[in-house]
Amino acid sequence: MNAMKIGDSVLISPDLTGFTQWTDGKVIEVENNPYNGVVIAAETNDRNVFFWQRDLFRNKQAEVCLL
C-alpha cells in the first residue's frame, strides 16, 4: 500500500462516513499512533472531517486503471 501524505486525494470508506458510496476527500493529517497504527484524517468538499485507521481510506491516484 502506498504511503499517504498531507494533500493526497483519497476515497473515504462508507463504513466510516455512513454514506452509501466511497466519498472524495483530501488528507489533512497523518499520525503514527502507537496504539492504532497509522491514522489518517481527511476533509471532504463540504468540510466534514473523518479520521481513523489507514485501511478505511484509498489513495485516489492508486485507483486509476490504465488500459
Short mmCIF file of all heavy atoms in Angstrom, two decimals:
data_model
loop_
_atom_site.label_atom_id
_atom_site.label_comp_id
_atom_site.label_asym_id
_atom_site.label_seq_id
_atom_site.Cartn_x
_atom_site.Cartn_y
_atom_site.Cartn_z
N MET A 1 0.86 -1.19 0.00
CA MET A 1 0.00 0.00 0.00
C MET A 1 0.89 1.24 0.00
O MET A 1 1.87 1.32 0.72
CB MET A 1 -0.90 -0.02 1.24
CG MET A 1 -1.75 1.24 1.37
SD MET A 1 -2.86 1.24 2.78
CE MET A 1 -4.09 0.13 2.17
N ASN A 2 0.56 2.18 -0.83
CA ASN A 2 1.32 3.42 -0.91
C ASN A 2 1.12 4.24 0.35
O ASN A 2 0.02 4.31 0.89
CB ASN A 2 0.89 4.25 -2.13
CG ASN A 2 1.25 3.58 -3.44
OD1 ASN A 2 2.11 2.71 -3.48
ND2 ASN A 2 0.59 3.96 -4.49
N ALA A 3 2.18 4.89 0.80
CA ALA A 3 2.08 5.78 1.96
C ALA A 3 1.30 7.02 1.57
O ALA A 3 1.48 7.58 0.49
CB ALA A 3 3.47 6.15 2.44
N MET A 4 0.39 7.43 2.43
CA MET A 4 -0.39 8.64 2.18
C MET A 4 0.29 9.82 2.86
O MET A 4 0.93 9.66 3.89
CB MET A 4 -1.81 8.47 2.71
CG MET A 4 -2.62 7.48 1.93
SD MET A 4 -4.29 7.42 2.54
CE MET A 4 -4.78 5.82 1.93
N LYS A 5 0.13 10.99 2.23
CA LYS A 5 0.72 12.19 2.81
C LYS A 5 -0.29 13.33 2.73
O LYS A 5 -1.28 13.25 1.99
CB LYS A 5 2.02 12.55 2.12
CG LYS A 5 1.90 12.81 0.63
CD LYS A 5 3.26 12.98 0.01
CE LYS A 5 3.20 13.26 -1.46
NZ LYS A 5 2.54 12.27 -2.27
N ILE A 6 -0.03 14.37 3.48
CA ILE A 6 -0.93 15.53 3.50
C ILE A 6 -1.07 16.08 2.08
O ILE A 6 -0.09 16.22 1.35
CB ILE A 6 -0.40 16.60 4.47
CG1 ILE A 6 -0.45 16.08 5.89
CG2 ILE A 6 -1.17 17.90 4.34
CD1 ILE A 6 0.18 16.96 6.93
N GLY A 7 -2.32 16.35 1.69
CA GLY A 7 -2.61 16.87 0.37
C GLY A 7 -3.07 15.82 -0.63
O GLY A 7 -3.60 16.16 -1.68
N ASP A 8 -2.87 14.53 -0.32
CA ASP A 8 -3.30 13.47 -1.23
C ASP A 8 -4.82 13.44 -1.34
O ASP A 8 -5.54 13.65 -0.36
CB ASP A 8 -2.84 12.10 -0.74
CG ASP A 8 -1.37 11.82 -1.03
OD1 ASP A 8 -0.74 12.64 -1.72
OD2 ASP A 8 -0.87 10.79 -0.54
N SER A 9 -5.32 13.14 -2.54
CA SER A 9 -6.74 12.92 -2.74
C SER A 9 -7.05 11.47 -2.40
O SER A 9 -6.33 10.56 -2.84
CB SER A 9 -7.13 13.18 -4.19
OG SER A 9 -6.97 14.54 -4.49
N VAL A 10 -8.09 11.26 -1.60
CA VAL A 10 -8.43 9.92 -1.15
C VAL A 10 -9.92 9.65 -1.30
O VAL A 10 -10.72 10.57 -1.48
CB VAL A 10 -8.03 9.70 0.33
CG1 VAL A 10 -6.53 9.70 0.50
CG2 VAL A 10 -8.69 10.71 1.24
N LEU A 11 -10.27 8.38 -1.21
CA LEU A 11 -11.65 7.96 -1.10
C LEU A 11 -11.83 7.46 0.33
O LEU A 11 -10.98 6.74 0.85
CB LEU A 11 -11.95 6.84 -2.10
CG LEU A 11 -11.87 7.23 -3.57
CD1 LEU A 11 -12.00 5.99 -4.46
CD2 LEU A 11 -12.96 8.24 -3.90
N ILE A 12 -12.94 7.86 0.96
CA ILE A 12 -13.20 7.53 2.36
C ILE A 12 -14.29 6.46 2.38
O ILE A 12 -15.34 6.61 1.76
CB ILE A 12 -13.64 8.76 3.16
CG1 ILE A 12 -12.62 9.89 2.98
CG2 ILE A 12 -13.82 8.41 4.62
CD1 ILE A 12 -13.11 11.25 3.47
N SER A 13 -14.08 5.40 3.13
CA SER A 13 -14.97 4.26 3.18
C SER A 13 -16.36 4.62 3.72
O SER A 13 -16.48 5.39 4.68
CB SER A 13 -14.38 3.17 4.08
OG SER A 13 -15.30 2.14 4.31
N PRO A 14 -17.40 4.00 3.16
CA PRO A 14 -18.76 4.18 3.70
C PRO A 14 -18.87 3.66 5.14
O PRO A 14 -19.73 4.10 5.88
CB PRO A 14 -19.64 3.36 2.76
CG PRO A 14 -18.82 3.07 1.56
CD PRO A 14 -17.39 3.20 1.95
N ASP A 15 -18.00 2.72 5.52
CA ASP A 15 -18.00 2.23 6.90
C ASP A 15 -17.69 3.34 7.89
O ASP A 15 -18.11 3.30 9.04
CB ASP A 15 -16.98 1.10 7.08
CG ASP A 15 -17.35 -0.15 6.30
OD1 ASP A 15 -18.56 -0.36 6.03
OD2 ASP A 15 -16.43 -0.92 5.96
N LEU A 16 -16.96 4.33 7.44
CA LEU A 16 -16.59 5.45 8.30
C LEU A 16 -17.57 6.61 8.17
O LEU A 16 -17.96 7.23 9.16
CB LEU A 16 -15.17 5.92 7.95
CG LEU A 16 -14.56 7.03 8.79
CD1 LEU A 16 -14.53 6.64 10.26
CD2 LEU A 16 -13.16 7.35 8.30
N THR A 17 -18.00 6.90 6.94
CA THR A 17 -18.86 8.08 6.71
C THR A 17 -20.33 7.81 6.96
O THR A 17 -21.09 8.73 7.26
CB THR A 17 -18.72 8.57 5.26
OG1 THR A 17 -19.19 7.54 4.37
CG2 THR A 17 -17.30 8.96 4.92
N GLY A 18 -20.76 6.56 6.79
CA GLY A 18 -22.17 6.23 6.90
C GLY A 18 -22.92 6.47 5.59
O GLY A 18 -24.12 6.22 5.51
N PHE A 19 -22.23 6.92 4.55
CA PHE A 19 -22.83 7.12 3.24
C PHE A 19 -22.90 5.78 2.50
O PHE A 19 -22.32 4.80 2.94
CB PHE A 19 -22.05 8.14 2.43
CG PHE A 19 -21.92 9.50 3.08
CD1 PHE A 19 -20.77 10.25 2.91
CD2 PHE A 19 -22.93 10.03 3.86
CE1 PHE A 19 -20.63 11.50 3.51
CE2 PHE A 19 -22.81 11.27 4.45
CZ PHE A 19 -21.65 12.00 4.28
N THR A 20 -23.56 5.75 1.35
CA THR A 20 -23.70 4.51 0.61
C THR A 20 -22.51 4.23 -0.32
O THR A 20 -22.33 3.10 -0.75
CB THR A 20 -24.99 4.51 -0.23
OG1 THR A 20 -24.97 5.65 -1.10
CG2 THR A 20 -26.22 4.57 0.65
N GLN A 21 -21.73 5.27 -0.65
CA GLN A 21 -20.61 5.10 -1.56
C GLN A 21 -19.34 5.70 -0.95
O GLN A 21 -19.41 6.48 -0.02
CB GLN A 21 -20.89 5.80 -2.89
CG GLN A 21 -22.06 5.22 -3.64
CD GLN A 21 -22.27 5.92 -4.97
OE1 GLN A 21 -21.56 6.85 -5.33
NE2 GLN A 21 -23.27 5.48 -5.71
N TRP A 22 -18.20 5.31 -1.52
CA TRP A 22 -16.94 5.92 -1.11
C TRP A 22 -17.00 7.41 -1.43
O TRP A 22 -17.51 7.81 -2.47
CB TRP A 22 -15.78 5.26 -1.85
CG TRP A 22 -15.49 3.87 -1.35
CD1 TRP A 22 -16.22 2.75 -1.63
CD2 TRP A 22 -14.45 3.47 -0.49
NE1 TRP A 22 -15.68 1.68 -0.99
CE2 TRP A 22 -14.57 2.08 -0.28
CE3 TRP A 22 -13.39 4.14 0.13
CZ2 TRP A 22 -13.70 1.36 0.53
CZ3 TRP A 22 -12.52 3.42 0.92
CH2 TRP A 22 -12.68 2.05 1.12
N THR A 23 -16.48 8.24 -0.53
CA THR A 23 -16.57 9.69 -0.63
C THR A 23 -15.20 10.30 -0.88
O THR A 23 -14.20 9.88 -0.28
CB THR A 23 -17.14 10.26 0.70
OG1 THR A 23 -18.39 9.63 0.95
CG2 THR A 23 -17.32 11.75 0.63
N ASP A 24 -15.14 11.31 -1.76
CA ASP A 24 -13.89 12.02 -2.04
C ASP A 24 -13.47 12.85 -0.84
O ASP A 24 -14.30 13.45 -0.16
CB ASP A 24 -14.06 12.96 -3.24
CG ASP A 24 -14.22 12.22 -4.54
OD1 ASP A 24 -13.63 11.13 -4.68
OD2 ASP A 24 -14.93 12.72 -5.42
N GLY A 25 -12.17 12.90 -0.61
CA GLY A 25 -11.62 13.73 0.45
C GLY A 25 -10.18 14.07 0.18
O GLY A 25 -9.59 13.62 -0.81
N LYS A 26 -9.62 14.88 1.06
CA LYS A 26 -8.22 15.30 0.94
C LYS A 26 -7.57 15.10 2.31
O LYS A 26 -8.11 15.52 3.34
CB LYS A 26 -8.16 16.77 0.54
CG LYS A 26 -6.79 17.28 0.26
CD LYS A 26 -6.86 18.70 -0.26
CE LYS A 26 -5.49 19.21 -0.62
NZ LYS A 26 -5.56 20.57 -1.16
N VAL A 27 -6.40 14.46 2.33
CA VAL A 27 -5.70 14.19 3.58
C VAL A 27 -5.23 15.50 4.21
O VAL A 27 -4.60 16.32 3.55
CB VAL A 27 -4.49 13.26 3.34
CG1 VAL A 27 -3.69 13.07 4.63
CG2 VAL A 27 -4.96 11.91 2.80
N ILE A 28 -5.60 15.69 5.48
CA ILE A 28 -5.16 16.89 6.20
C ILE A 28 -4.21 16.56 7.34
O ILE A 28 -3.55 17.45 7.87
CB ILE A 28 -6.37 17.70 6.72
CG1 ILE A 28 -7.24 16.87 7.65
CG2 ILE A 28 -7.16 18.28 5.56
CD1 ILE A 28 -8.33 17.67 8.35
N GLU A 29 -4.14 15.27 7.72
CA GLU A 29 -3.20 14.88 8.78
C GLU A 29 -2.91 13.39 8.68
O GLU A 29 -3.79 12.59 8.37
CB GLU A 29 -3.79 15.19 10.15
CG GLU A 29 -2.85 14.92 11.29
CD GLU A 29 -3.43 15.30 12.65
OE1 GLU A 29 -4.51 15.90 12.69
OE2 GLU A 29 -2.79 14.99 13.64
N VAL A 30 -1.66 13.02 8.93
CA VAL A 30 -1.24 11.63 9.02
C VAL A 30 -0.53 11.47 10.35
O VAL A 30 0.42 12.20 10.64
CB VAL A 30 -0.30 11.24 7.86
CG1 VAL A 30 0.16 9.80 8.00
CG2 VAL A 30 -0.96 11.49 6.52
N GLU A 31 -1.01 10.53 11.16
CA GLU A 31 -0.45 10.35 12.51
C GLU A 31 -0.01 8.90 12.67
O GLU A 31 -0.74 7.98 12.34
CB GLU A 31 -1.51 10.67 13.56
CG GLU A 31 -1.07 10.37 14.97
CD GLU A 31 -2.20 10.50 15.97
OE1 GLU A 31 -3.29 10.96 15.60
OE2 GLU A 31 -1.98 10.13 17.12
N ASN A 32 1.18 8.70 13.19
CA ASN A 32 1.64 7.36 13.53
C ASN A 32 1.30 7.13 15.00
O ASN A 32 2.08 7.44 15.89
CB ASN A 32 3.14 7.21 13.27
CG ASN A 32 3.58 5.78 13.37
OD1 ASN A 32 2.77 4.88 13.58
ND2 ASN A 32 4.86 5.55 13.21
N ASN A 33 0.11 6.59 15.24
CA ASN A 33 -0.40 6.38 16.58
C ASN A 33 0.14 5.07 17.15
O ASN A 33 0.02 4.03 16.51
CB ASN A 33 -1.93 6.34 16.52
CG ASN A 33 -2.57 6.26 17.87
OD1 ASN A 33 -2.43 5.27 18.57
ND2 ASN A 33 -3.32 7.30 18.22
N PRO A 34 0.74 5.09 18.35
CA PRO A 34 1.34 3.87 18.89
C PRO A 34 0.31 2.77 19.21
O PRO A 34 0.68 1.61 19.31
CB PRO A 34 2.03 4.34 20.16
CG PRO A 34 1.38 5.63 20.51
CD PRO A 34 0.90 6.23 19.24
N TYR A 35 -0.95 3.11 19.34
CA TYR A 35 -1.99 2.13 19.67
C TYR A 35 -2.79 1.67 18.47
O TYR A 35 -3.25 0.54 18.42
CB TYR A 35 -2.94 2.70 20.74
CG TYR A 35 -2.23 3.08 21.99
CD1 TYR A 35 -1.95 4.40 22.27
CD2 TYR A 35 -1.77 2.11 22.88
CE1 TYR A 35 -1.27 4.77 23.42
CE2 TYR A 35 -1.08 2.45 24.03
CZ TYR A 35 -0.83 3.78 24.30
OH TYR A 35 -0.15 4.13 25.43
N ASN A 36 -3.01 2.55 17.50
CA ASN A 36 -3.85 2.24 16.34
C ASN A 36 -3.10 2.17 15.02
O ASN A 36 -3.71 2.00 13.98
CB ASN A 36 -4.97 3.29 16.21
CG ASN A 36 -5.96 3.17 17.33
OD1 ASN A 36 -6.39 2.08 17.68
ND2 ASN A 36 -6.34 4.30 17.90
N GLY A 37 -1.81 2.36 15.03
CA GLY A 37 -1.05 2.37 13.79
C GLY A 37 -1.19 3.72 13.09
O GLY A 37 -1.36 4.75 13.74
N VAL A 38 -1.16 3.71 11.77
CA VAL A 38 -1.26 4.95 11.01
C VAL A 38 -2.73 5.39 10.98
O VAL A 38 -3.60 4.63 10.58
CB VAL A 38 -0.73 4.78 9.58
CG1 VAL A 38 -0.93 6.05 8.76
CG2 VAL A 38 0.74 4.39 9.61
N VAL A 39 -2.98 6.62 11.44
CA VAL A 39 -4.32 7.19 11.45
C VAL A 39 -4.34 8.35 10.45
O VAL A 39 -3.49 9.22 10.48
CB VAL A 39 -4.71 7.68 12.86
CG1 VAL A 39 -6.04 8.41 12.83
CG2 VAL A 39 -4.76 6.52 13.84
N ILE A 40 -5.33 8.31 9.56
CA ILE A 40 -5.49 9.33 8.53
C ILE A 40 -6.66 10.23 8.89
O ILE A 40 -7.71 9.73 9.32
CB ILE A 40 -5.77 8.68 7.15
CG1 ILE A 40 -4.69 7.67 6.77
CG2 ILE A 40 -5.98 9.73 6.07
CD1 ILE A 40 -3.33 8.27 6.52
N ALA A 41 -6.52 11.54 8.71
CA ALA A 41 -7.63 12.49 8.83
C ALA A 41 -7.81 13.12 7.46
O ALA A 41 -6.85 13.60 6.86
CB ALA A 41 -7.35 13.56 9.87
N ALA A 42 -9.05 13.06 6.95
CA ALA A 42 -9.33 13.61 5.62
C ALA A 42 -10.57 14.49 5.68
O ALA A 42 -11.51 14.20 6.41
CB ALA A 42 -9.53 12.50 4.60
N GLU A 43 -10.54 15.57 4.89
CA GLU A 43 -11.65 16.51 4.83
C GLU A 43 -12.36 16.38 3.49
O GLU A 43 -11.71 16.29 2.45
CB GLU A 43 -11.12 17.93 5.01
CG GLU A 43 -12.20 18.99 5.04
CD GLU A 43 -11.63 20.37 5.31
OE1 GLU A 43 -10.47 20.64 4.91
OE2 GLU A 43 -12.33 21.17 5.92
N THR A 44 -13.69 16.37 3.52
CA THR A 44 -14.49 16.30 2.30
C THR A 44 -14.71 17.70 1.75
O THR A 44 -14.40 18.69 2.41
CB THR A 44 -15.84 15.63 2.56
OG1 THR A 44 -16.56 16.40 3.53
CG2 THR A 44 -15.67 14.20 3.06
N ASN A 45 -15.30 17.78 0.55
CA ASN A 45 -15.58 19.08 -0.06
C ASN A 45 -16.54 19.92 0.76
O ASN A 45 -16.48 21.15 0.72
CB ASN A 45 -16.14 18.89 -1.48
CG ASN A 45 -15.10 18.37 -2.43
OD1 ASN A 45 -13.90 18.54 -2.22
ND2 ASN A 45 -15.55 17.70 -3.47
N ASP A 46 -17.43 19.26 1.52
CA ASP A 46 -18.37 20.01 2.35
C ASP A 46 -17.82 20.27 3.76
O ASP A 46 -18.55 20.58 4.67
CB ASP A 46 -19.74 19.34 2.40
CG ASP A 46 -19.68 17.92 2.90
OD1 ASP A 46 -18.57 17.43 3.23
OD2 ASP A 46 -20.74 17.27 2.97
N ARG A 47 -16.50 20.12 3.90
CA ARG A 47 -15.73 20.48 5.10
C ARG A 47 -15.95 19.55 6.29
O ARG A 47 -15.60 19.88 7.41
CB ARG A 47 -15.98 21.93 5.49
CG ARG A 47 -15.87 22.85 4.30
CD ARG A 47 -15.18 24.13 4.36
NE ARG A 47 -14.45 24.54 5.50
CZ ARG A 47 -13.18 24.89 5.45
NH1 ARG A 47 -12.53 24.81 4.33
NH2 ARG A 47 -12.57 25.33 6.51
N ASN A 48 -16.51 18.35 6.07
CA ASN A 48 -16.58 17.34 7.13
C ASN A 48 -15.22 16.66 7.22
O ASN A 48 -14.56 16.43 6.21
CB ASN A 48 -17.65 16.29 6.83
CG ASN A 48 -19.04 16.83 7.03
OD1 ASN A 48 -19.31 17.54 7.99
ND2 ASN A 48 -19.94 16.50 6.11
N VAL A 49 -14.82 16.33 8.44
CA VAL A 49 -13.54 15.66 8.65
C VAL A 49 -13.80 14.26 9.20
O VAL A 49 -14.57 14.10 10.15
CB VAL A 49 -12.64 16.46 9.62
CG1 VAL A 49 -11.36 15.71 9.92
CG2 VAL A 49 -12.32 17.84 9.03
N PHE A 50 -13.16 13.27 8.59
CA PHE A 50 -13.25 11.89 9.03
C PHE A 50 -11.84 11.40 9.31
O PHE A 50 -10.92 11.69 8.56
CB PHE A 50 -13.90 11.02 7.95
CG PHE A 50 -15.32 11.41 7.64
CD1 PHE A 50 -15.60 12.28 6.60
CD2 PHE A 50 -16.37 10.93 8.40
CE1 PHE A 50 -16.90 12.65 6.31
CE2 PHE A 50 -17.67 11.29 8.13
CZ PHE A 50 -17.94 12.15 7.07
N PHE A 51 -11.70 10.62 10.39
CA PHE A 51 -10.38 10.09 10.70
C PHE A 51 -10.50 8.70 11.30
O PHE A 51 -11.44 8.40 12.02
CB PHE A 51 -9.60 11.02 11.64
CG PHE A 51 -10.26 11.24 12.97
CD1 PHE A 51 -9.93 10.47 14.06
CD2 PHE A 51 -11.21 12.24 13.13
CE1 PHE A 51 -10.54 10.68 15.29
CE2 PHE A 51 -11.81 12.47 14.34
CZ PHE A 51 -11.48 11.68 15.43
N TRP A 52 -9.55 7.85 10.93
CA TRP A 52 -9.46 6.51 11.51
C TRP A 52 -8.26 5.82 10.89
O TRP A 52 -7.46 6.44 10.21
CB TRP A 52 -10.75 5.72 11.27
CG TRP A 52 -10.86 4.55 12.21
CD1 TRP A 52 -10.81 3.23 11.87
CD2 TRP A 52 -11.00 4.58 13.63
NE1 TRP A 52 -10.93 2.45 12.98
CE2 TRP A 52 -11.05 3.25 14.09
CE3 TRP A 52 -11.10 5.60 14.57
CZ2 TRP A 52 -11.17 2.92 15.43
CZ3 TRP A 52 -11.23 5.26 15.90
CH2 TRP A 52 -11.27 3.94 16.32
N GLN A 53 -8.16 4.53 11.09
CA GLN A 53 -7.02 3.79 10.59
C GLN A 53 -6.95 3.81 9.06
O GLN A 53 -7.96 3.94 8.38
CB GLN A 53 -7.07 2.35 11.09
CG GLN A 53 -6.92 2.27 12.59
CD GLN A 53 -7.18 0.88 13.12
OE1 GLN A 53 -7.91 0.11 12.54
NE2 GLN A 53 -6.58 0.58 14.27
N ARG A 54 -5.75 3.66 8.57
CA ARG A 54 -5.45 3.79 7.14
C ARG A 54 -6.30 2.88 6.26
O ARG A 54 -6.59 3.23 5.11
CB ARG A 54 -3.97 3.51 6.94
CG ARG A 54 -3.53 3.54 5.51
CD ARG A 54 -2.07 3.37 5.34
NE ARG A 54 -1.59 2.16 6.00
CZ ARG A 54 -0.32 1.86 6.12
NH1 ARG A 54 0.59 2.65 5.66
NH2 ARG A 54 0.04 0.76 6.74
N ASP A 55 -6.74 1.73 6.75
CA ASP A 55 -7.45 0.79 5.89
C ASP A 55 -8.84 1.27 5.47
O ASP A 55 -9.47 0.66 4.60
CB ASP A 55 -7.52 -0.60 6.53
CG ASP A 55 -8.25 -0.62 7.86
OD1 ASP A 55 -8.35 0.44 8.50
OD2 ASP A 55 -8.70 -1.70 8.26
N LEU A 56 -9.34 2.36 6.03
CA LEU A 56 -10.64 2.92 5.64
C LEU A 56 -10.50 4.04 4.61
O LEU A 56 -11.47 4.72 4.29
CB LEU A 56 -11.41 3.41 6.86
CG LEU A 56 -11.84 2.30 7.83
CD1 LEU A 56 -12.55 2.89 9.03
CD2 LEU A 56 -12.73 1.29 7.14
N PHE A 57 -9.30 4.20 4.07
CA PHE A 57 -9.02 5.23 3.06
C PHE A 57 -8.32 4.58 1.87
O PHE A 57 -7.51 3.68 2.05
CB PHE A 57 -8.11 6.33 3.64
CG PHE A 57 -8.73 7.06 4.79
CD1 PHE A 57 -8.60 6.57 6.08
CD2 PHE A 57 -9.44 8.23 4.59
CE1 PHE A 57 -9.17 7.24 7.16
CE2 PHE A 57 -10.01 8.91 5.66
CZ PHE A 57 -9.88 8.41 6.94
N ARG A 58 -8.63 5.04 0.67
CA ARG A 58 -7.95 4.60 -0.54
C ARG A 58 -7.35 5.81 -1.24
O ARG A 58 -8.03 6.82 -1.41
CB ARG A 58 -8.92 3.94 -1.51
CG ARG A 58 -9.48 2.63 -1.05
CD ARG A 58 -10.35 2.05 -2.14
NE ARG A 58 -11.02 0.86 -1.69
CZ ARG A 58 -12.05 0.33 -2.32
NH1 ARG A 58 -12.53 0.90 -3.41
NH2 ARG A 58 -12.62 -0.76 -1.85
N ASN A 59 -6.13 5.67 -1.65
CA ASN A 59 -5.48 6.74 -2.41
C ASN A 59 -6.10 6.79 -3.80
O ASN A 59 -6.11 5.80 -4.51
CB ASN A 59 -3.97 6.48 -2.49
CG ASN A 59 -3.20 7.67 -2.93
OD1 ASN A 59 -3.65 8.43 -3.77
ND2 ASN A 59 -2.02 7.83 -2.37
N LYS A 60 -6.66 7.95 -4.20
CA LYS A 60 -7.35 8.06 -5.49
C LYS A 60 -6.40 7.83 -6.66
O LYS A 60 -6.80 7.24 -7.66
CB LYS A 60 -8.03 9.42 -5.65
CG LYS A 60 -9.36 9.49 -4.93
CD LYS A 60 -10.07 10.77 -5.21
CE LYS A 60 -10.66 10.75 -6.60
NZ LYS A 60 -11.54 11.90 -6.84
N GLN A 61 -5.17 8.25 -6.58
CA GLN A 61 -4.23 8.06 -7.67
C GLN A 61 -3.98 6.57 -7.90
O GLN A 61 -3.79 6.15 -9.03
CB GLN A 61 -2.90 8.78 -7.39
CG GLN A 61 -2.97 10.28 -7.53
CD GLN A 61 -3.62 10.97 -6.34
OE1 GLN A 61 -3.73 10.41 -5.26
NE2 GLN A 61 -4.10 12.17 -6.55
N ALA A 62 -4.01 5.77 -6.84
CA ALA A 62 -3.79 4.33 -6.98
C ALA A 62 -5.00 3.64 -7.58
O ALA A 62 -4.89 2.52 -8.08
CB ALA A 62 -3.46 3.73 -5.62
N GLU A 63 -6.16 4.28 -7.56
CA GLU A 63 -7.38 3.69 -8.09
C GLU A 63 -7.54 3.85 -9.60
O GLU A 63 -8.40 3.26 -10.20
CB GLU A 63 -8.62 4.33 -7.41
CG GLU A 63 -8.72 4.03 -5.94
CD GLU A 63 -8.93 2.55 -5.66
OE1 GLU A 63 -9.76 1.93 -6.33
OE2 GLU A 63 -8.24 2.02 -4.78
N VAL A 64 -6.67 4.65 -10.23
CA VAL A 64 -6.77 4.88 -11.68
C VAL A 64 -6.28 3.63 -12.41
O VAL A 64 -5.21 3.10 -12.14
CB VAL A 64 -5.92 6.10 -12.10
CG1 VAL A 64 -5.91 6.26 -13.61
CG2 VAL A 64 -6.44 7.34 -11.42
N CYS A 65 -7.10 3.14 -13.32
CA CYS A 65 -6.75 1.96 -14.10
C CYS A 65 -6.32 2.41 -15.49
O CYS A 65 -7.07 3.06 -16.22
CB CYS A 65 -7.96 1.03 -14.18
SG CYS A 65 -7.63 -0.44 -15.17
N LEU A 66 -5.12 2.06 -15.88
CA LEU A 66 -4.62 2.40 -17.20
C LEU A 66 -4.75 1.19 -18.12
O LEU A 66 -4.19 0.15 -17.86
CB LEU A 66 -3.16 2.84 -17.12
CG LEU A 66 -2.89 4.04 -16.22
CD1 LEU A 66 -1.39 4.30 -16.13
CD2 LEU A 66 -3.60 5.28 -16.74
N LEU A 67 -5.52 1.34 -19.18
CA LEU A 67 -5.71 0.24 -20.12
C LEU A 67 -4.89 0.43 -21.36
O LEU A 67 -4.71 1.46 -21.86
CB LEU A 67 -7.20 0.10 -20.48
CG LEU A 67 -8.11 -0.24 -19.32
CD1 LEU A 67 -9.55 -0.21 -19.79
CD2 LEU A 67 -7.77 -1.60 -18.76
#
